[in-house]
Amino acid sequence: MNFIDNPGKLRGFEKHVKIEKVSRRSILKGLGITGGFVLAAPVMTRQAFAYETGAGKMPHGVVVDPRVFVSVAPDGIVTIVGHRSEMGTGVRTSLPLIVAEEMEADWSRVKVQQAHGDEVKFGNQDTDGSRSTRHYLLPMRQIGASARTMLEQAAAKRWGVPATEVKAVNHEVVHSASGRKLGFGELAADAAKESVPAIEGLKLKDAKDFRYLTKGQIGIVDLHDITTGKARYGADVRLPGMKYAVIARPPVTGGKLVSFDPDAALKVPGVEKVMKVQGWPWPSKFQPLGGVAVIARNTGAAIKGRNALKLVWDDGANAKYDSVAFRKELEEASRKPGLVVRQEGDADAALKGADKVIVGEYYIPHLAHVSMEPPVAVADVKGDKAEIWAPVQSPGGTRDDVAKTLGIPEGNVTVNVTLLGGGFGRKSKCDFALEAALLSKELGTPVKVQWTREDDIRNGFLHTVSAERIEAGLDKSGKVIAWRHRSVAPSIASTFAAGTVHQAPFEVGMGLADMPFEIANISCENPEAAAHTRIGWFRSVSNIPRAFAVQSMVGEIAQATGRDQKDMLLELIGSPRIVKPNVKDLWNYGEPQDSYPIDTARLRKVVELVAEKGQWGRQVPKGHGLGIAVHRSFVSYIATIVEVAVDDKGKLTVPRVDTAIDCGTYVNPERIASQIEGAAIMGLSLAKYGEISFKDGKVQQKNFDDFQVVRIDESPVVTNVYIVPPGPDTPPSGVGEPGVPPFAPALINAIFAATGKRIRSLPIGKQLEA
Amino acid sequence: MIKVKINGQEQSWDGDPDLPLLWFLRDEAGLTGTKFGCGQALCGSCTVIVDKEAVRSCITSINDVAGREVTTIEGLHPNGDHPVQKAWRQVNVPQCGFCQAGQIMQAAALLMDNPKPSHDQIREAMSGNICRCGCYQRIENAVHLASTGV
Ligand code: FES
Ligand code: FES
């Protein structure tokens, strides 16, 4: 059967899902500014899982069609399409594994084929927001169940028995009454002629019969290729006649090229050409910054050529951006009232009447993603056709943007998705692919644009910079009766719309307005802040500064009242309940509140679980300390305990990390553990070293020497991960991002326990050395 | 004309003698298993073995390896079954995988030099190799496993 070669009308599906074309690039919809959405995913009859997700509201929604995702060859090899981008989360394995599970395919006879960018065909492909399993667990099960049903129907017809008497088991269909069996390969041609069953009638497997899901015994599909150097990332694409390009971009965001002298560059052996690259005015969305490209026979020559360029820039409106001055501006703004995004009770009055007010001012600078593979793309543009090979998180969006940038129809653009050498949100923005497309068009040959690490650090889409100020008012008994949180940070929306000074709804919903504590008087405010560089999504986004501030404040309150951190945390979370903040259209990671409420029972549970497994309160050696933090993000609940050791010179090490995660129904616990282990490293990196700063509009850092990340010799000795077993109807939630936010505050609370020093400004840097 | 043996095969180059070995391997010889991560000997993604030593190919010129023997991830073992590679798979080390060729080459060089490294020696020897995904705990476990027999 080849479902792919047998298109035809969708059956049983089209009446439930209406897919409107919503351009990925109408990005403002994601920022909650305009509507125009797709209808929700099919309403399921109550089966193994019954829940609704926001998947149907994503651009191009969900496609549940086995003919798009599955094919079976006569030799029995089952090919399953992975339509999301693999950047290290394991999604290229996990989603096809779900299909294989439901269709009873034997994983050793399954091949995974990477989808190119085509959201009309495959549904939404934008791999960010920790959404893949959350949005596709059920659709992938339905796809697998459909394919299984078609194979069973074909076998039943062949044998002339009712379909209810046959059953697919491990890559064959069996008729147990007669003992007959037919392999999937033998049934392929007939099954392809079967109609696709209606979704409502599909029978999903009982969880107790799972062979692969929730077991965690399947390695990622690229494991062998990765360990032998065969795995193909964006940088590894080679085409006949391909040229290598490195681009000099404006050192200040919004700057423009005034003039350039190519002579010295052209003398470098291997350099063939020097040419201008078109840039877009700021704010430039995902469009290229422009500059000068050096074209060479290899990347080494192109880099050497670029170093020899003489360039004159007009730095433009952001030439004065200075991080020291900007920090003051943000902090001053945080001390004055701002736009109120959530209000319950009367925080002003309660703070005035409080017995004690604790004030915490926290600062978190810009961060760069520094995915191990710097941005890179290959393009081959011929006439009105373009083909791209690139490590992009959003292949559909890239296709759309390439078409618009070149002025050709979207149907003429093919976007091939390679493996991504890390993404972390950077590769959601396809500027590097657009650069390659523009250059290839002009050169008439295939071209690879390679960003150097310096380019990546200096010309990226940075994590925002923020000042967070929290005032907590306590009554005589030490109970917190008032909470005012002001968060001041340039918004990601500033990269799309000039004049943006407030956080977008999705940023407000990341740890500010959705704060879960049971406090009578709450005010959450967002004073104004303008952006002076490109701001973008960074793994877990605004949750980083918000969790840092809120969970540090919990530690400060515990410290001021002489309470245990964990007890204080549980007291603030309060009773088990569904939190309904007084916020109009509170952003909930795009998910319906019914399926994904803010549930403090689950929040409490991860705190209690990590406290138990991580032995909260255990005796630690002198100079060591324990810290705890919890945070809900991407509709998952995560609590972390960090044990830190600080020596008398102020050098810190992390002997142990314990993390409990409740991500609902899950697929692959082994990959969940690897994501959480990695999140601890990223959390430690940003806490210890993470800072991109500006002077005269220019980024002050350049490479891993001055933008450091944690190395193996300073990484936690052990990170233990505990996964909360899901209830039968608990919908799946995010895994890739939510591990990051609680780490830094748990570490900071641990440092306080170890040293009595309270760190309020990240990175820690030399603060412990004093 | 510069001659160098790469994974047992004689290769030659008559271009810029200062060309970093990394770009010769990747762009001229088509051996893309060796990765570019920083270009400044800061991350270890480009690690190859020259004679018996782990070397950062991004700051080693092709001229520096003239007449020497270079081993890349593609040449570490004919079937990819070097003990380090096997251990890596057994421990499920990689996330995105981009740093792993460099990590594996570094670990292979370590074990040539010190077949039974301690916890601290592993951490010390591997500290030049960044993994942005944060697979360190598993890297350490895999090196340990490779050293004790897979
Ligand atoms: S690329 Fe050579 S050490 Fe980073
Ligand atoms: S696995 Fe991604 S950088 Fe190491």
Side-chain angles (χ1 to χ4, degrees), chain A residues 235-236 297 299 670 711, chain B residues 26-28 35 42 136 138:
Chain A
D236 303 333
R297 65 167 285 161
T299 316
E670 190 275 327
R711 293 167 182 273
Chain B
R26 291 185 50 80
D27 298 349
E28 299 289 346
K35 303 302 188 204
L42 296 165
Y136 296 130
R138 294 176 190 224

Side-chain angles (χ1 to χ4, degrees), chain A residues 87 227 233 235-236 238 244 297-299 304 369-370 453 670-671 674 677-678 703 710-711 715 719, chain B residues 16 23 26-28 35 37-38 40 42 85 89 92 94-97 123 127 132-133 136-138:
Chain A
M87 56 188 134
T227 57
Y233 298 85
D236 303 333
R238 294 161 55 81
Y244 295 80
R297 65 167 285 161
N298 61 53
T299 316
K304 200 168 174 184
H369 305 79
V370 291
R453 182 59 63 198
E670 190 275 327
R671 285 294 96 180
S674 76
E677 290 159 20
N703 208 316
V710 161
R711 293 167 182 273
S715 74
T719 298
Chain B
D16 185 356
W23 300 116
R26 291 185 50 80
D27 298 349
E28 299 289 346
K35 303 302 188 204
C38 73
Q40 303 290 336
L42 296 165
Q85 291 171 310
R89 295 194 288 267
N92 280 317
Q95 289 182 38
C96 82
R123 289 187 149 223
S127 67
R132 179 58 164 161
C133 296
Y136 296 130
Q137 178 168 326
R138 294 176 190 224

Side-chain angles (χ1 to χ4, degrees), chain B:
Chain B
M1 181 79 81
I2 295 164
K3 284 198 185 325
V4 49
K5 209 178 223 184
I6 299 171
N7 300 333
Q9 267 186 319
E10 196 78 53
Q11 304 249 16
S12 56
W13 172 246
D14 60 1
D16 185 356
D18 292 339
L19 179 68
L21 173 61
L22 170 68
W23 300 116
F24 177 78
L25 291 171
R26 291 185 50 80
D27 298 349
E28 299 289 346
L31 293 166
T32 55
T34 305
K35 303 302 188 204
F36 166 64
C38 73
Q40 303 290 336
L42 296 165
C43 78
S45 297
C46 66
T47 304
V48 298
I49 295 176
V50 177
D51 297 333
K52 287 205 159 13
E53 223 186 319
V55 156
R56 308 289 185 236
S57 64
C58 66
I59 54 150
T60 304
S61 72
I62 179 84
N63 196 38
D64 290 341
V65 294
R68 301 179 71 180
E69 222 169 295
V70 177
T71 307
T72 70
I73 184 76
E74 290 93 340
L76 187 60
H77 184 280
N79 312 317
D81 283 338
H82 184 280
V84 172
Q85 291 171 310
K86 285 190 355 199
W88 240 249
R89 295 194 288 267
Q90 220 160 303
V91 179
N92 280 317
V93 172
Q95 289 182 38
C96 82
F98 195 79
C99 72
Q100 302 296 347
Q103 305 273 5
I104 288 170
M105 297 311 283
Q106 185 72 42
L110 165 65
L111 295 183
M112 272 192 263
D113 186 47
N114 177 1
K116 293 263 178 275
S118 67
H119 165 90
D120 286 341
Q121 287 169 331
I122 295 173
R123 289 187 149 223
E124 158 90 49
M126 300 301 295
S127 67
N129 292 71
I130 292 172
C131 175
R132 179 58 164 161
C133 296
C135 304
Y136 296 130
Q137 178 168 326
R138 294 176 190 224
I139 288 169
E140 189 180 327
N141 291 342
V143 176
H144 184 72
L145 178 65
S147 75
T148 50
V150 216

